[in-house]
Each structure stands twice: as C-alpha cells, then as structure tokens.
Amino acid sequence: MKVLVINCGSSSLKYQLIDMDGEKVLCKGLCERIGMESSMITHEANGHKATTPAIFPTHTEAFAEVVKKMTTGEGKCINDVSEIDAIGHRVVHGGEKFKESCLITDEVIETIRELSPLAPLHNPAGILGIEAARKVFGNIPMVAVFDTAFHSTMPPKAYMYAIPYEYYEKYGVRRYGFHGTSHRYVSGRMAELLGEMPHRLITCHLGNGSSLAAIKDGKVVDTSMGFTPLDGIIMGTRCGSIDPSIVSYIANLENLHERGMNRLLNNESGLLGVSGVSSDFRDVLEEAENGNERAQLAADMLEYQLVKLIGSYAAALGGVDAILFTGGIGENAMGLREQVMHDLAYLGVTADLAANNSRGEEVRISGADSKVEVWVVPTNEEIMIARDTAELIK
Ligand code: AMP
C-alpha cells in the first residue's frame, strides 16, 4: 500500500510518498510560496533532489505539479496516481471533537472548519490542502491526523485555565497541546526500545516550536503547549509562558493591537527576541561561543526552562522512569542535553557522555547506573500519519 502524507501551510505544501510495505519513503518534497510570486518546488526521489521554479496560484496547481514530479522525469517514483492508495493529512487542531485520526468526509471537513477560530492560521490551511487534494486525486480515500489528538487524555485539572469557567464552555478556552503526532511516535518508539512502555515518561520535542509531554502508561497527563502553540517553553520566535499581564502592559505602552501583539509574541520573541541574533539555535550557540551575552542568555533560558519543566512533570508523574529528546534541537544539541542531564542529577540521572556525542540517532545517553533512562529518539511524524491512514482505510 502506498500512502501520500500531506502537511499544508497557508503558502506551503510538504509531501512524502511512503510504501507501507517496509515503510520506505519513495519521494518527498516541498512546494513553497503558493499564492505568491516566485513559487517553487523541491522534489527528492531516487537519490535526486532538485528545486525548480513553478507557478502555484493555489494549492491545486501545487498538487498537480507534485503529481507530475512523481510520475515523470528523474524524480519519478510511480507510473500513475492510481498507485496511491490513500492520503493522510496533518491537521493542527482537532479541538475536543477529534480524539483520534479519522476518515475525511464532508462532515469532517465542516467540523475542522468550525474549529478554525481555535487555529486561525493552521486549520484553514489544512482545509485548503484537503480540498485541493480532492480536486487533483479524486476519490482516493483521505484521513485526517490531528496534532492535538494524542493530548486528549489530559485530565481537566491539567487542561483547565483558572479563568471564569464560562469561557471554556462558550469558547473552548482550555489547554489542547500540539506536536501530538510527534510525542505519540517517539513515546511508541521508546516502548519498543525499552521492551515496554515506561510507566512515567517525559518527552521533550525541541525544535523551532518546542513542547514537553508528561506521559503515564502511554497516556498524556500534561503538556506544555496550551490553548495555542505559543505556551510553554521558550521557542525559536515564540515567547512560551509569560505573565499574561505583560500583554496589556506592552500593548498600551507601544499602542499595539491584537495583530501587533500576536506578531510580537509569535514571531519576534523566543530565542530571536532575547538574543537579537537568530531564531535558529545553531546561530544562537555560535554567537554565544563568540562571547555574545544575550545569545548566551537565550541558550541559558532554554536549558533552565527545560530543567524546570522536566522537574514539574516529574512531580506531576510522581517520579520519572524515562526522558527523551527529539526535534531538531533535541536530536542535535549535545551540549544542551549534557547540561540538562547534569542538572537532573537530583533525580538520579547520570550521563553517558560518549553516547551523548551523537546527532540524529536513536541512542541511550544516560549512564549504566542512571536511575532514569535518557534517550534521543528522532521523530517521524510522517510515518505516524501514514500508519494511521493505512490502518483506517483497511
Ligand atoms: P526543527 O524545527 O525540529 O526542524 O528544529 C530546528 C531547530 O533545530 C533549529 O533551531 C536548529 O538550529 C536546531 N538544530 C539543528 N541542528 C542543530 C545542531 N547541530 N545543534 C544545535 N541545534 C540544531
């Protein structure tokens, strides 16, 4: 069975075609600047990777070009679209309606649309992708996989905010959590690597966006992203948790309204805002090495907040048996991992520094005498989406 995995942004379309027999990636790529000038597609298959200019007024033309790349030329990996058995779409917000992945019907699309106020940037883009795929791929069955779904096991005491209850009832204001597909994949992988699901597990997805999840017996009991992906730990350009009063304080002083404040907190804060250098952790580390104090401060804040959050999740779980790192930063930033393990010595964590000296590999980085297993597990959201899709259409 061949499954096409789709992740649509408002102006982008990421895709991967996976042969479920052996879970082999047949091709992958990215369409960028959809609806703008200078659109382009990067397609990778058969050891060839090429970026070519294209004209993408909408996602429909982008999908048509993806089909062309998959069926012709050097990047050809199928003869015809009829070889694709199903399409799996990443959808950011499933609200309280979608607690697991589901087959896409007209009704499902309507419900995703109704949830758009909760994810105004993301859900409309997901719908654009679903509708364009329907136009290009006709009747191929499609599945929606939600970023929020894995966190739906959180108890109310973890997901409620202490604001008047009516705002939960009227507007759905609560913690939902995101990156669920990644936390689900890596926690499942952890269970495979350890031979059983750890009783108390903390997963740290650290990338441009970052979130932690506290997982008890395979079920999420708390997570750091909240009503939106802005909450939690310091990220590339997102502020993470701040005192909510800061919003009205700065808004008044700077005469900023909703849009301006959203931009400040989502796009101008985090590692970028503190360091003044970059949202990219590699750049921040390099500048810190060169003696830039604000870059060092941003890196220190990430490490400190990580240790603090892991500590609070250890408390929530009543202890911790395993901790894992994933995402671009989690999989690659050896120095950060070493420092975090050092600071978690009070939990009985010891480090295997030789093992920690690795990037992007599945590896145990805690010492043989560590009371807590600490691992690096590279994430693979696409395979999770493909597996759900294959399972649902069977
Ligand atoms: P992601 O969003 O998961 O792709 O992660 C992107 C983040 O990973 C960026 O902040 C990168 O700087 C960071 N990253 C990638 N490679 C490294 C590395 N070798 N050391 C530190 N950070 C890295």
mmCIF file of all heavy atoms in Angstrom, residues 190-240:
data_model
loop_
_atom_site.group_PDB
_atom_site.id
_atom_site.type_symbol
_atom_site.label_atom_id
_atom_site.label_comp_id
_atom_site.label_asym_id
_atom_site.label_seq_id
_atom_site.Cartn_x
_atom_site.Cartn_y
_atom_site.Cartn_z
ATOM 1 N N MET A 190 9.881 4.617 22.115
ATOM 2 C CA MET A 190 10.527 4.390 23.424
ATOM 3 C C MET A 190 10.089 3.045 23.993
ATOM 4 O O MET A 190 10.905 2.276 24.512
ATOM 5 C CB MET A 190 10.129 5.541 24.365
ATOM 6 C CG MET A 190 10.820 5.577 25.687
ATOM 7 S SD MET A 190 12.489 6.260 25.651
ATOM 8 C CE MET A 190 13.472 4.922 25.087
ATOM 9 N N ALA A 191 8.788 2.771 23.877
ATOM 10 C CA ALA A 191 8.263 1.492 24.378
ATOM 11 C C ALA A 191 8.925 0.324 23.643
ATOM 12 O O ALA A 191 9.298 -0.680 24.254
ATOM 13 C CB ALA A 191 6.742 1.450 24.207
ATOM 14 N N GLU A 192 9.099 0.484 22.328
ATOM 15 C CA GLU A 192 9.748 -0.588 21.554
ATOM 16 C C GLU A 192 11.202 -0.762 21.982
ATOM 17 O O GLU A 192 11.689 -1.868 22.158
ATOM 18 C CB GLU A 192 9.691 -0.267 20.051
ATOM 19 C CG GLU A 192 8.314 -0.491 19.446
ATOM 20 C CD GLU A 192 8.159 0.114 18.055
ATOM 21 O OE1 GLU A 192 9.154 0.590 17.472
ATOM 22 O OE2 GLU A 192 7.023 0.131 17.559
ATOM 23 N N LEU A 193 11.890 0.361 22.181
ATOM 24 C CA LEU A 193 13.316 0.286 22.523
ATOM 25 C C LEU A 193 13.543 -0.294 23.917
ATOM 26 O O LEU A 193 14.526 -0.990 24.159
ATOM 27 C CB LEU A 193 13.949 1.689 22.433
ATOM 28 C CG LEU A 193 14.092 2.237 21.012
ATOM 29 C CD1 LEU A 193 14.298 3.748 21.018
ATOM 30 C CD2 LEU A 193 15.263 1.566 20.303
ATOM 31 N N LEU A 194 12.621 0.013 24.835
ATOM 32 C CA LEU A 194 12.800 -0.463 26.214
ATOM 33 C C LEU A 194 12.108 -1.809 26.458
ATOM 34 O O LEU A 194 12.240 -2.393 27.527
ATOM 35 C CB LEU A 194 12.252 0.570 27.216
ATOM 36 C CG LEU A 194 12.986 1.919 27.261
ATOM 37 C CD1 LEU A 194 12.299 2.871 28.232
ATOM 38 C CD2 LEU A 194 14.452 1.735 27.656
ATOM 39 N N GLY A 195 11.349 -2.250 25.472
ATOM 40 C CA GLY A 195 10.647 -3.526 25.635
ATOM 41 C C GLY A 195 9.279 -3.370 26.267
ATOM 42 O O GLY A 195 8.463 -4.288 26.237
ATOM 43 N N GLU A 196 9.015 -2.211 26.868
ATOM 44 C CA GLU A 196 7.675 -1.911 27.394
ATOM 45 C C GLU A 196 7.531 -0.400 27.559
ATOM 46 O O GLU A 196 8.544 0.306 27.646
ATOM 47 C CB GLU A 196 7.439 -2.601 28.740
ATOM 48 C CG GLU A 196 8.420 -2.172 29.802
ATOM 49 C CD GLU A 196 8.164 -2.804 31.160
ATOM 50 O OE1 GLU A 196 7.127 -3.447 31.352
ATOM 51 O OE2 GLU A 196 9.027 -2.625 32.023
ATOM 52 N N MET A 197 6.298 0.071 27.590
ATOM 53 C CA MET A 197 6.070 1.500 27.765
ATOM 54 C C MET A 197 6.507 1.901 29.172
ATOM 55 O O MET A 197 6.050 1.310 30.149
ATOM 56 C CB MET A 197 4.578 1.810 27.557
ATOM 57 C CG MET A 197 4.212 3.275 27.677
ATOM 58 S SD MET A 197 5.054 4.354 26.504
ATOM 59 C CE MET A 197 4.067 4.137 25.020
ATOM 60 N N PRO A 198 7.411 2.884 29.276
ATOM 61 C CA PRO A 198 7.796 3.297 30.630
ATOM 62 C C PRO A 198 6.570 3.800 31.388
ATOM 63 O O PRO A 198 5.686 4.418 30.788
ATOM 64 C CB PRO A 198 8.799 4.417 30.410
ATOM 65 C CG PRO A 198 8.952 4.607 28.958
ATOM 66 C CD PRO A 198 8.055 3.661 28.233
ATOM 67 N N HIS A 199 6.530 3.508 32.666
ATOM 68 C CA HIS A 199 5.392 3.920 33.495
ATOM 69 C C HIS A 199 5.274 5.448 33.491
ATOM 70 O O HIS A 199 4.221 6.008 33.260
ATOM 71 C CB HIS A 199 5.638 3.366 34.906
ATOM 72 C CG HIS A 199 4.616 3.742 35.914
ATOM 73 N ND1 HIS A 199 3.269 3.778 35.632
ATOM 74 C CD2 HIS A 199 4.756 4.100 37.215
ATOM 75 C CE1 HIS A 199 2.619 4.156 36.727
ATOM 76 N NE2 HIS A 199 3.490 4.355 37.686
ATOM 77 N N ARG A 200 6.431 6.127 33.697
ATOM 78 C CA ARG A 200 6.412 7.602 33.768
ATOM 79 C C ARG A 200 7.468 8.149 32.795
ATOM 80 O O ARG A 200 8.664 7.978 33.010
ATOM 81 C CB ARG A 200 6.732 8.049 35.209
ATOM 82 C CG ARG A 200 5.703 7.527 36.222
ATOM 83 C CD ARG A 200 6.243 7.505 37.632
ATOM 84 N NE ARG A 200 7.469 6.725 37.765
ATOM 85 C CZ ARG A 200 8.122 6.536 38.907
ATOM 86 N NH1 ARG A 200 7.658 7.060 40.032
ATOM 87 N NH2 ARG A 200 9.240 5.831 38.940
ATOM 88 N N LEU A 201 6.969 8.764 31.734
ATOM 89 C CA LEU A 201 7.843 9.205 30.638
ATOM 90 C C LEU A 201 7.657 10.699 30.381
ATOM 91 O O LEU A 201 6.534 11.199 30.401
ATOM 92 C CB LEU A 201 7.471 8.411 29.365
ATOM 93 C CG LEU A 201 8.059 8.850 28.033
ATOM 94 C CD1 LEU A 201 9.574 8.640 27.993
ATOM 95 C CD2 LEU A 201 7.410 8.059 26.875
ATOM 96 N N ILE A 202 8.773 11.381 30.140
ATOM 97 C CA ILE A 202 8.695 12.795 29.734
ATOM 98 C C ILE A 202 9.333 12.915 28.353
ATOM 99 O O ILE A 202 10.503 12.568 28.171
ATOM 100 C CB ILE A 202 9.415 13.715 30.743
ATOM 101 C CG1 ILE A 202 8.747 13.597 32.125
ATOM 102 C CG2 ILE A 202 9.378 15.174 30.274
ATOM 103 C CD1 ILE A 202 9.501 14.297 33.254
ATOM 104 N N THR A 203 8.545 13.368 27.377
ATOM 105 C CA THR A 203 9.061 13.535 26.013
ATOM 106 C C THR A 203 9.302 15.027 25.770
ATOM 107 O O THR A 203 8.437 15.856 26.050
ATOM 108 C CB THR A 203 8.070 12.963 24.979
ATOM 109 O OG1 THR A 203 6.758 13.473 25.255
ATOM 110 C CG2 THR A 203 8.018 11.459 25.022
ATOM 111 N N CYS A 204 10.491 15.354 25.260
ATOM 112 C CA CYS A 204 10.860 16.751 25.011
ATOM 113 C C CYS A 204 11.050 16.937 23.513
ATOM 114 O O CYS A 204 12.051 16.487 22.964
ATOM 115 C CB CYS A 204 12.169 17.105 25.719
ATOM 116 S SG CYS A 204 12.194 16.673 27.470
ATOM 117 N N HIS A 205 10.074 17.537 22.859
ATOM 118 C CA HIS A 205 10.194 17.841 21.429
ATOM 119 C C HIS A 205 10.733 19.269 21.333
ATOM 120 O O HIS A 205 10.015 20.233 21.626
ATOM 121 C CB HIS A 205 8.833 17.720 20.735
ATOM 122 C CG HIS A 205 8.889 18.070 19.283
ATOM 123 N ND1 HIS A 205 8.622 17.171 18.283
ATOM 124 C CD2 HIS A 205 9.212 19.232 18.660
ATOM 125 C CE1 HIS A 205 8.774 17.758 17.105
ATOM 126 N NE2 HIS A 205 9.128 19.012 17.309
ATOM 127 N N LEU A 206 11.998 19.401 20.936
ATOM 128 C CA LEU A 206 12.646 20.717 20.912
ATOM 129 C C LEU A 206 13.080 21.045 19.498
ATOM 130 O O LEU A 206 13.994 20.424 18.955
ATOM 131 C CB LEU A 206 13.878 20.718 21.838
ATOM 132 C CG LEU A 206 13.662 20.198 23.257
ATOM 133 C CD1 LEU A 206 14.984 20.100 23.991
ATOM 134 C CD2 LEU A 206 12.697 21.100 24.017
ATOM 135 N N GLY A 207 12.386 21.998 18.888
ATOM 136 C CA GLY A 207 12.735 22.406 17.525
ATOM 137 C C GLY A 207 12.461 23.889 17.404
ATOM 138 O O GLY A 207 12.605 24.625 18.384
ATOM 139 N N ASN A 208 12.045 24.321 16.219
ATOM 140 C CA ASN A 208 11.619 25.711 16.096
ATOM 141 C C ASN A 208 10.460 25.997 17.029
ATOM 142 O O ASN A 208 10.391 27.022 17.676
ATOM 143 C CB ASN A 208 11.175 25.977 14.662
ATOM 144 C CG ASN A 208 12.278 26.645 13.899
ATOM 145 O OD1 ASN A 208 13.025 27.445 14.464
ATOM 146 N ND2 ASN A 208 12.391 26.301 12.637
ATOM 147 N N GLY A 209 9.524 25.051 17.058
ATOM 148 C CA GLY A 209 8.494 25.036 18.086
ATOM 149 C C GLY A 209 8.877 23.936 19.060
ATOM 150 O O GLY A 209 9.427 22.917 18.634
ATOM 151 N N SER A 210 8.611 24.135 20.336
ATOM 152 C CA SER A 210 9.020 23.123 21.320
ATOM 153 C C SER A 210 7.882 22.835 22.285
ATOM 154 O O SER A 210 7.126 23.735 22.654
ATOM 155 C CB SER A 210 10.219 23.619 22.131
ATOM 156 O OG SER A 210 11.328 23.825 21.292
ATOM 157 N N SER A 211 7.780 21.557 22.668
ATOM 158 C CA SER A 211 6.810 21.224 23.714
ATOM 159 C C SER A 211 7.265 19.970 24.442
ATOM 160 O O SER A 211 7.990 19.145 23.887
ATOM 161 C CB SER A 211 5.415 20.999 23.116
ATOM 162 O OG SER A 211 5.405 19.847 22.298
ATOM 163 N N LEU A 212 6.843 19.875 25.697
ATOM 164 C CA LEU A 212 7.121 18.691 26.506
ATOM 165 C C LEU A 212 5.798 18.007 26.804
ATOM 166 O O LEU A 212 4.751 18.672 26.863
ATOM 167 C CB LEU A 212 7.786 19.073 27.837
ATOM 168 C CG LEU A 212 9.319 19.216 27.813
ATOM 169 C CD1 LEU A 212 9.723 20.414 26.973
ATOM 170 C CD2 LEU A 212 9.872 19.327 29.229
ATOM 171 N N ALA A 213 5.839 16.692 26.998
ATOM 172 C CA ALA A 213 4.630 15.982 27.430
ATOM 173 C C ALA A 213 4.987 15.053 28.571
ATOM 174 O O ALA A 213 6.048 14.426 28.567
ATOM 175 C CB ALA A 213 4.028 15.193 26.264
ATOM 176 N N ALA A 214 4.102 15.026 29.560
ATOM 177 C CA ALA A 214 4.227 14.074 30.673
ATOM 178 C C ALA A 214 3.283 12.922 30.353
ATOM 179 O O ALA A 214 2.076 13.138 30.152
ATOM 180 C CB ALA A 214 3.823 14.745 31.982
ATOM 181 N N ILE A 215 3.843 11.710 30.259
ATOM 182 C CA ILE A 215 3.062 10.572 29.751
ATOM 183 C C ILE A 215 3.081 9.449 30.780
ATOM 184 O O ILE A 215 4.150 8.960 31.159
ATOM 185 C CB ILE A 215 3.654 10.096 28.403
ATOM 186 C CG1 ILE A 215 3.632 11.258 27.390
ATOM 187 C CG2 ILE A 215 2.889 8.892 27.866
ATOM 188 C CD1 ILE A 215 4.281 10.946 26.052
ATOM 189 N N LYS A 216 1.894 9.074 31.256
ATOM 190 C CA LYS A 216 1.795 7.996 32.244
ATOM 191 C C LYS A 216 1.191 6.768 31.572
ATOM 192 O O LYS A 216 0.092 6.847 31.013
ATOM 193 C CB LYS A 216 0.892 8.459 33.401
ATOM 194 C CG LYS A 216 1.063 7.655 34.663
ATOM 195 C CD LYS A 216 0.352 8.325 35.839
ATOM 196 C CE LYS A 216 1.121 8.142 37.117
ATOM 197 N NZ LYS A 216 0.653 8.987 38.196
ATOM 198 N N ASP A 217 1.918 5.665 31.594
ATOM 199 C CA ASP A 217 1.455 4.423 30.968
ATOM 200 C C ASP A 217 0.945 4.653 29.538
ATOM 201 O O ASP A 217 -0.104 4.122 29.136
ATOM 202 C CB ASP A 217 0.358 3.771 31.825
ATOM 203 C CG ASP A 217 0.877 3.430 33.222
ATOM 204 O OD1 ASP A 217 2.041 3.006 33.325
ATOM 205 O OD2 ASP A 217 0.132 3.631 34.193
ATOM 206 N N GLY A 218 1.661 5.490 28.819
ATOM 207 C CA GLY A 218 1.333 5.707 27.400
ATOM 208 C C GLY A 218 0.300 6.782 27.153
ATOM 209 O O GLY A 218 -0.008 7.083 26.000
ATOM 210 N N LYS A 219 -0.253 7.384 28.229
ATOM 211 C CA LYS A 219 -1.290 8.413 28.038
ATOM 212 C C LYS A 219 -0.799 9.771 28.549
ATOM 213 O O LYS A 219 -0.264 9.866 29.668
ATOM 214 C CB LYS A 219 -2.555 8.029 28.799
ATOM 215 C CG LYS A 219 -3.238 6.812 28.232
ATOM 216 C CD LYS A 219 -4.707 6.793 28.653
ATOM 217 C CE LYS A 219 -5.519 5.852 27.804
ATOM 218 N NZ LYS A 219 -5.211 4.450 28.001
ATOM 219 N N VAL A 220 -1.019 10.803 27.737
ATOM 220 C CA VAL A 220 -0.571 12.138 28.131
ATOM 221 C C VAL A 220 -1.382 12.623 29.332
ATOM 222 O O VAL A 220 -2.616 12.568 29.323
ATOM 223 C CB VAL A 220 -0.731 13.139 26.954
ATOM 224 C CG1 VAL A 220 -0.417 14.559 27.408
ATOM 225 C CG2 VAL A 220 0.162 12.740 25.794
ATOM 226 N N VAL A 221 -0.683 13.088 30.368
ATOM 227 C CA VAL A 221 -1.384 13.682 31.521
ATOM 228 C C VAL A 221 -1.149 15.192 31.592
ATOM 229 O O VAL A 221 -1.876 15.897 32.283
ATOM 230 C CB VAL A 221 -0.999 13.002 32.857
ATOM 231 C CG1 VAL A 221 -1.453 11.556 32.882
ATOM 232 C CG2 VAL A 221 0.503 13.098 33.137
ATOM 233 N N ASP A 222 -0.134 15.671 30.884
ATOM 234 C CA ASP A 222 0.078 17.122 30.825
ATOM 235 C C ASP A 222 1.003 17.436 29.653
ATOM 236 O O ASP A 222 1.790 16.578 29.235
ATOM 237 C CB ASP A 222 0.694 17.657 32.127
ATOM 238 C CG ASP A 222 0.298 19.107 32.397
ATOM 239 O OD1 ASP A 222 -0.183 19.787 31.468
ATOM 240 O OD2 ASP A 222 0.467 19.565 33.544
ATOM 241 N N THR A 223 0.883 18.641 29.137
ATOM 242 C CA THR A 223 1.782 19.059 28.055
ATOM 243 C C THR A 223 1.951 20.563 28.119
ATOM 244 O O THR A 223 1.112 21.266 28.690
ATOM 245 C CB THR A 223 1.261 18.588 26.680
ATOM 246 O OG1 THR A 223 2.269 18.806 25.697
ATOM 247 C CG2 THR A 223 0.002 19.328 26.262
ATOM 248 N N SER A 224 3.071 21.052 27.528
ATOM 249 C CA SER A 224 3.419 22.450 27.793
ATOM 250 C C SER A 224 2.786 23.445 26.826
ATOM 251 O O SER A 224 2.572 24.593 27.184
ATOM 252 C CB SER A 224 4.940 22.614 27.791
ATOM 253 O OG SER A 224 5.474 22.260 26.529
ATOM 254 N N MET A 225 2.495 23.046 25.578
ATOM 255 C CA MET A 225 1.765 23.970 24.720
ATOM 256 C C MET A 225 0.318 23.998 25.214
ATOM 257 O O MET A 225 -0.151 23.039 25.828
ATOM 258 C CB MET A 225 1.836 23.547 23.256
ATOM 259 C CG MET A 225 3.169 23.910 22.621
ATOM 260 S SD MET A 225 3.216 23.410 20.894
ATOM 261 C CE MET A 225 4.703 24.253 20.351
ATOM 262 N N GLY A 226 -0.373 25.087 24.954
ATOM 263 C CA GLY A 226 -1.654 25.253 25.635
ATOM 264 C C GLY A 226 -2.828 25.407 24.709
ATOM 265 O O GLY A 226 -3.104 24.546 23.874
ATOM 266 N N PHE A 227 -3.527 26.512 24.881
ATOM 267 C CA PHE A 227 -4.665 26.850 24.023
ATOM 268 C C PHE A 227 -4.174 27.014 22.584
ATOM 269 O O PHE A 227 -4.873 26.674 21.635
ATOM 270 C CB PHE A 227 -5.288 28.145 24.557
ATOM 271 C CG PHE A 227 -6.444 28.657 23.762
ATOM 272 C CD1 PHE A 227 -7.589 27.897 23.580
ATOM 273 C CD2 PHE A 227 -6.396 29.923 23.189
ATOM 274 C CE1 PHE A 227 -8.655 28.384 22.835
ATOM 275 C CE2 PHE A 227 -7.453 30.415 22.442
ATOM 276 C CZ PHE A 227 -8.581 29.637 22.270
ATOM 277 N N THR A 228 -2.965 27.545 22.459
ATOM 278 C CA THR A 228 -2.288 27.663 21.164
ATOM 279 C C THR A 228 -0.853 27.156 21.329
ATOM 280 O O THR A 228 -0.403 26.933 22.454
ATOM 281 C CB THR A 228 -2.230 29.133 20.681
ATOM 282 O OG1 THR A 228 -1.298 29.828 21.519
ATOM 283 C CG2 THR A 228 -3.586 29.820 20.739
ATOM 284 N N PRO A 229 -0.118 27.030 20.211
ATOM 285 C CA PRO A 229 1.285 26.578 20.324
ATOM 286 C C PRO A 229 2.245 27.652 20.853
ATOM 287 O O PRO A 229 3.446 27.531 20.730
ATOM 288 C CB PRO A 229 1.642 26.208 18.871
ATOM 289 C CG PRO A 229 0.342 26.082 18.162
ATOM 290 C CD PRO A 229 -0.584 27.043 18.826
ATOM 291 N N LEU A 230 1.689 28.715 21.450
ATOM 292 C CA LEU A 230 2.534 29.801 21.954
ATOM 293 C C LEU A 230 3.015 29.535 23.375
ATOM 294 O O LEU A 230 4.007 30.092 23.839
ATOM 295 C CB LEU A 230 1.717 31.105 21.900
ATOM 296 C CG LEU A 230 2.392 32.426 22.231
ATOM 297 C CD1 LEU A 230 3.599 32.666 21.345
ATOM 298 C CD2 LEU A 230 1.392 33.573 22.050
ATOM 299 N N ASP A 231 2.308 28.673 24.063
ATOM 300 C CA ASP A 231 2.543 28.463 25.502
ATOM 301 C C ASP A 231 3.715 27.506 25.725
ATOM 302 O O ASP A 231 4.125 26.768 24.836
ATOM 303 C CB ASP A 231 1.259 27.862 26.104
ATOM 304 C CG ASP A 231 1.176 28.016 27.612
ATOM 305 O OD1 ASP A 231 2.088 28.626 28.203
ATOM 306 O OD2 ASP A 231 0.197 27.518 28.195
ATOM 307 N N GLY A 232 4.249 27.531 26.938
ATOM 308 C CA GLY A 232 5.249 26.535 27.336
ATOM 309 C C GLY A 232 6.658 27.093 27.388
ATOM 310 O O GLY A 232 6.906 28.162 27.933
ATOM 311 N N ILE A 233 7.565 26.340 26.772
ATOM 312 C CA ILE A 233 8.991 26.651 26.866
ATOM 313 C C ILE A 233 9.386 27.676 25.792
ATOM 314 O O ILE A 233 8.720 27.759 24.756
ATOM 315 C CB ILE A 233 9.770 25.319 26.722
ATOM 316 C CG1 ILE A 233 11.219 25.462 27.122
ATOM 317 C CG2 ILE A 233 9.637 24.732 25.329
ATOM 318 C CD1 ILE A 233 11.873 24.100 27.345
ATOM 319 N N ILE A 234 10.452 28.422 26.021
ATOM 320 C CA ILE A 234 10.968 29.378 25.020
ATOM 321 C C ILE A 234 11.231 28.649 23.697
ATOM 322 O O ILE A 234 11.753 27.538 23.683
ATOM 323 C CB ILE A 234 12.257 30.073 25.540
ATOM 324 C CG1 ILE A 234 12.857 31.022 24.499
ATOM 325 C CG2 ILE A 234 13.308 29.079 25.987
ATOM 326 C CD1 ILE A 234 14.032 31.861 25.042
ATOM 327 N N MET A 235 10.817 29.265 22.577
ATOM 328 C CA MET A 235 10.988 28.624 21.250
ATOM 329 C C MET A 235 11.788 29.538 20.325
ATOM 330 O O MET A 235 12.307 30.555 20.774
ATOM 331 C CB MET A 235 9.620 28.312 20.659
ATOM 332 C CG MET A 235 8.817 27.422 21.572
ATOM 333 S SD MET A 235 7.170 27.119 20.986
ATOM 334 C CE MET A 235 6.246 27.372 22.501
ATOM 335 N N GLY A 236 11.845 29.172 19.034
ATOM 336 C CA GLY A 236 12.618 29.971 18.077
ATOM 337 C C GLY A 236 12.207 31.437 18.090
ATOM 338 O O GLY A 236 13.017 32.321 18.338
ATOM 339 N N THR A 237 10.905 31.664 17.813
ATOM 340 C CA THR A 237 10.412 33.055 17.811
ATOM 341 C C THR A 237 9.218 33.241 18.742
ATOM 342 O O THR A 237 8.662 34.320 18.801
ATOM 343 C CB THR A 237 9.968 33.478 16.392
ATOM 344 O OG1 THR A 237 8.952 32.569 15.947
ATOM 345 C CG2 THR A 237 11.121 33.468 15.405
ATOM 346 N N ARG A 238 8.811 32.170 19.423
ATOM 347 C CA ARG A 238 7.644 32.265 20.318
ATOM 348 C C ARG A 238 8.104 32.397 21.764
ATOM 349 O O ARG A 238 9.091 31.779 22.171
ATOM 350 C CB ARG A 238 6.763 31.028 20.186
ATOM 351 C CG ARG A 238 5.960 31.017 18.910
ATOM 352 C CD ARG A 238 5.235 29.706 18.720
ATOM 353 N NE ARG A 238 5.782 28.969 17.602
ATOM 354 C CZ ARG A 238 5.514 27.700 17.320
ATOM 355 N NH1 ARG A 238 4.680 27.020 18.082
ATOM 356 N NH2 ARG A 238 6.047 27.106 16.285
ATOM 357 N N CYS A 239 7.324 33.179 22.522
ATOM 358 C CA CYS A 239 7.776 33.541 23.870
ATOM 359 C C CYS A 239 7.625 32.407 24.884
ATOM 360 O O CYS A 239 8.302 32.397 25.900
ATOM 361 C CB CYS A 239 6.998 34.758 24.364
ATOM 362 S SG CYS A 239 5.217 34.482 24.414
ATOM 363 N N GLY A 240 6.723 31.437 24.632
ATOM 364 C CA GLY A 240 6.422 30.466 25.680
ATOM 365 C C GLY A 240 5.633 31.149 26.793
ATOM 366 O O GLY A 240 5.058 32.229 26.591
#
